[in-house]
Structure formats: structure tokens, C-alpha cells
Amino acid sequence: MTDSGTTDSPSGKTRKSNKPTSRVPYAGTATTHEAAAALKKVSSQIYDFAGVPGKASKPGPGVSECQGRDKDTYFQMYHPWNFMPTKASDIDVAMENVKERLKAGGWVTKDLYHDNSPNKALNLIADNDEKKVSVWIIQMKKDKQPSFAIEVRSGCYKIPDGQEIDRF
């Protein structure tokens, strides 16, 4: 599900990748608001997976084009957000919880690595082929306020006949 050629992480850092780019799968037919609601539900699940008290940032999902597909018919959803554990010492517990809980419910970890940033942040990329979504989590434990940068991204949706893509 993951577009492996992507190099921009949720934290804005660059990822070095030699993997071939894969095509984003078809996620079904939906309006942008239906697709956004589905992606928010997945983000909530990831929040719950952390299993520690914390705060999530408020930005909601956005709409982007599906590369290689008609921009007036197909769209992709993305939802970037941050999670800050209430206690900084919970950052490792939260990451272990997420890694363990991603093993259930159709999630497959595709990559787990330390990036080439000065802090060598831990990156986790996982796909859920059933839900046609991917998540990229970056553990920024050496920041003044330890947190996770998270991006949940959908497959490509087709807008229902007679509807237009609402770009927000």
C-alpha cells in the first residue's frame, strides 16, 4: 500500500530510500467527507494503540491527487497529526504499544528504521491492506517535548458519479 518512493516524512525530514515506487491501491468509491471520516477513524485507532495518556494535535484530513490517475475522478486522503504523551518518559512505552498493537487487525509493518536526522529518530511504516491505509510514525524522543509525528494516508478513492472532489 505504501508509496515506497516517498521521501518526505510527517516531521518534514527527508528519508533516504532506494526502494522502487509502488502504485497506490484503489480504496473504493466515496465522497471526500466519507473518506475523511474513515481516515479519522484509523487515526483514532492509532491514538488508542499508544496506550498512554497524551494529547493529539487538531489538524484534520486533507485531500490530494492520486498520481497517475484522473485528478477530477480520483483522490487520496492524508491526515498528519502529532501525539505528545503527558509524561515524556512514556514515549518509549507508547512506541512499544503501537508496534505490538499494529500486529493485530490486518496491519503489517513495512519498515522500522532510524533515520539520518541528527537525533536518529525511529520511523515505523505500516500498511493495512484491508482498510487501504498506511501510517508513518516518527518517534521524536530527543525533542524538548517528546512526541510522535504521524501521517495516515489512504489509497486512491473514486468520487461517486455526479459528485465533485471537495479539496480541503
Side-chain angles (χ1 to χ4, degrees):
M1 184 24 262
T2 307
D3 178 358
S4 309
T6 300
T7 58
D8 292 331
S9 72
S11 68
K13 297 197 171 43
T14 300
R15 173 179 179 215
K16 190 175 184 178
S17 175
N18 295 324
K19 296 179 183 178
T21 301
S22 61
R23 186 170 176 125
V24 177
Y26 177 66
T29 301
T31 66
T32 49
H33 293 283
E34 292 166 340
L39 209 59
K40 282 182 183 179
K41 191 173 180 180
V42 172
S43 287
S44 291
Q45 183 184 39
I46 301 297
Y47 178 92
D48 292 342
F49 283 175
V52 299
K55 264 179 117 167
S57 60
K58 296 290 183 196
V63 179
S64 64
E65 293 180 12
C66 286
Q67 283 189 329
R69 297 189 181 174
D70 178 27
K71 66 180 181 142
D72 295 322
T73 307
Y74 293 93
F75 65 95
Q76 188 175 17
M77 300 299 301
Y78 62 93
H79 186 199
W81 55 284
N82 286 17
F83 173 75
M84 289 185 295
T86 303
K87 295 187 329 191
S89 59
D90 280 344
I91 193 77
D92 287 327
V93 172
M95 181 56 98
E96 289 306 312
N97 287 344
V98 168
K99 287 191 309 191
E100 188 62 33
R101 293 171 181 167
L102 278 173
K103 294 177 184 176
W107 288 95
V108 175
T109 299
K110 297 294 186 174
D111 212 349
L112 183 64
Y113 64 94
H114 290 275
D115 62 24
N116 56 7
S117 69
N119 290 331
K120 303 292 183 209
L122 181 62
N123 286 243
L124 183 150
I125 299 172
D127 292 346
N128 188 312
D129 287 339
E130 181 182 319
K131 294 180 182 183
K132 303 294 189 239
V133 295
S134 288
V135 64
W136 189 343
I137 302 169
I138 301 174
Q139 181 189 39
M140 298 180 294
K141 76 185 234 175
K142 293 184 181 180
D143 286 1
K144 184 177 179 181
Q145 173 62 51
S147 65
F148 294 113
I150 301 167
E151 183 170 315
V152 181
R153 188 169 283 273
S154 75
C156 289
Y157 284 96
K158 182 179 186 287
I159 195 75
D161 291 339
Q163 301 254 351
E164 289 187 12
I165 297 171
D166 184 12
R167 306 214 182 260
F168 50 89

